[in-house]
Amino acid sequence: PTGKPHIGYFVPMTKVADYLRAGCHVTILLADIHAFLDNLKSSIEMVKARTAYYEHIVKAMLSSIGVPLEKLKFVVGSSYELTPEFTMDNYRLASIVTEHDAKKAGAEVVKQVQSPLLSGLLYPGMQALDEEYLKVDAQFGGIDQRKIFTFAEKYLPRLGYKKRIHLMNPMVPGLQGSKMSSSEPDSKIDLLDSEKDIKNKVNKAHCEEGNIENNGVLSFATSVLFPISSLRTGEPHFVITRPEKYGGDTVYTDAESLERDFADKKVHPGDLKKSVVAAINALLEPIRKYFETPEMQQILLQAYPPAEVKQKFVKQKKKHN
């Protein structure tokens, strides 16, 4: 739990919904120690506050798409990662892992800096050990986790632990075409953004007519809105709304048809953006309401206090007599 969760998190949430619907028991790890180790982005006190926020926001997201939470379990990493047993296994792992392998495993997850801290090298090994200590059959994460998954498959058997199954979801491109990231404000839509903020961000987003590559607006529709509509109604669908003089509303029941029509310039970027804005606001409205209570507002304030505005010091000119 570091940066504020954004709408890209709906991609893994839809897969969590699939696992729960299939009868799986799902454990969501709130990796507080990992967050602290990731180049010290946050203090341990701040991480604790964000851990509470993450649990509430994930529950609100799943509830907003109609997912039952009975078979969902949340575990905080520090509840077992600070035990003597885990610590000893971490030392055992450190005795066989090379610096090269540890650095390579975390390359896409741990923030890369010119003079990396030792904490970033501990991160992949701890994530591998999480599989054993959570007693899971499989680990699920974004495709940016693949090097850590490969690391776990290589090293866990060397400690006498079984190799786990690894499942991955694609990363949603950001609104400007790159990866959607909490560290790039212009690339993402926060889950608590207002309707006005969402409209402004989507309208400024990169969405070239006919271009389906690195198109964050189109990718969100195909990767998130279609699966969510399927969860809610049993059938995937997405509606492009436009005036009758431009063809009227069009209902798409599969992502491929929408992509094809956008590539063929049958769907204008302006109409796509307007339709995506409406769908996002409908999706986020239950989450915004969930966080309207004083209790939730306090949790949000503790996790993400407003940035201090630095006052500019204006040097006064000396008066000459």
Side-chain angles (χ1 to χ4, degrees):
T2 50
K4 263 188 180 180
H6 48 72
I7 58 169
Y9 281 51
F10 271 109
V11 174
M13 290 303 107
T14 57
K15 295 312 298 177
V16 167
D18 287 341
Y19 300 144
L20 291 169
R21 190 167 52 179
C24 299
H25 291 268
V26 177
T27 298
I28 292 183
L29 174 63
L30 298 168
D32 54 341
I33 301 297
H34 294 263
F36 176 67
L37 290 175
D38 189 3
N39 273 291
L40 305 181
K41 288 180 182 176
S42 309
S43 67
I44 194 65
E45 292 77 20
M46 185 69 74
V47 166
K48 288 179 181 178
R50 291 179 179 180
T51 298
Y53 174 77
Y54 264 61
E55 180 171 351
H56 283 288
I57 201 76
V58 168
K59 286 179 177 177
M61 290 175 73
L62 290 171
S63 296
S64 76
I65 57 177
V67 178
L69 306 179
E70 292 78 21
K71 293 183 179 179
L72 184 67
K73 181 172 72 172
F74 288 86
V75 175
V76 178
S78 57
S79 66
Y80 65 87
E81 289 173 346
L82 300 179
T83 62
E85 294 80 11
F86 188 95
T87 301
M88 191 62 225
D89 269 345
N90 213 8
Y91 289 148
R92 290 174 61 208
L93 197 57
S95 72
I96 59 174
V97 173
T98 64
E99 181 267 348
H100 171 269
D101 282 1
K103 189 174 181 179
K104 180 181 177 182
E108 294 184 55
V109 177
V110 178
K111 187 177 180 181
Q112 301 299 297
V113 294
Q114 191 171 4
S115 299
L117 299 172
L118 180 59
S119 58
L121 299 179
L122 295 174
Y123 189 113
M126 291 181 66
Q127 185 169 334
L129 288 173
D130 288 335
E131 297 180 349
E132 175 62 25
Y133 280 78
L134 291 171
K135 301 301 178 187
V136 296
D137 299 305
Q139 182 179 175
F140 167 63
I143 198 168
D144 59 342
Q145 303 276 334
R146 61 188 182 273
K147 291 179 181 178
I148 291 182
F149 291 168
T150 302
F151 175 96
E153 290 182 9
K154 177 180 179 179
Y155 283 105
L156 277 190
R158 295 192 187 184
L159 295 182
Y161 299 137
K162 69 177 182 180
K163 185 189 296 188
R164 265 63 177 196
I165 297 166
H166 293 108
L167 308 164
M168 290 173 281
N169 65 261
M171 308 301 288
V172 177
L175 296 177
Q176 303 305 324
S178 58
K179 171 185 169 183
M180 189 173 289
S181 170
S182 295
S183 60
E184 296 179 25
D186 291 338
S187 77
K188 67 186 179 75
I189 290 174
D190 287 334
L191 295 167
L192 299 179
D193 272 351
S194 67
E195 292 187 10
K196 183 180 178 181
D197 288 338
I198 291 169
K199 183 178 180 180
N200 289 339
K201 286 183 179 181
V202 173
N203 284 343
K204 290 190 294 184
H206 174 77
C207 187
E208 182 185 357
E209 187 176 16
N211 185 359
I212 63 174
E213 300 296 328
N214 294 320
N215 187 329
V217 180
L218 181 62
S219 291
F220 187 77
T222 57
S223 303
V224 178
L225 297 177
F226 274 100
I228 285 176
S229 65
S230 182
L231 284 171
R232 284 176 160 174
T233 65
E235 294 183 359
H237 69 277
F238 178 68
V239 182
I240 292 289
T241 56
R242 55 192 167 193
E244 286 294 334
K245 62 180 180 180
Y246 296 122
D249 294 354
T250 302
V251 179
Y252 289 91
T253 56
D254 63 87
E256 292 76 17
S257 297
L258 176 61
E259 282 191 335
R260 185 169 57 250
D261 279 2
F262 189 84
D264 293 341
K265 300 184 180 181
K266 294 179 181 178
V267 174
H268 189 271
D271 295 326
L272 176 64
K273 287 182 176 183
K274 184 174 68 173
S275 304
V276 167
V277 166
I280 290 175
N281 277 317
L283 183 61
L284 298 188
E285 186 56 26
I287 301 175
R288 288 192 286 248
K289 286 190 177 296
Y290 182 94
F291 275 86
E292 283 179 354
T293 66
E295 180 189 359
M296 291 299 105
Q297 285 295 307
Q298 184 62 27
I299 287 174
L300 176 59
L301 184 63
Q302 290 174 345
Y304 299 97
E308 293 183 8
V309 179
K310 293 183 179 180
Q311 293 184 340
K312 291 184 178 180
F313 177 75
V314 180
K315 188 176 181 180
Q316 293 182 343
K317 294 182 179 179
K318 291 183 178 180
K319 293 182 179 179
H320 297 282
N321 294 328

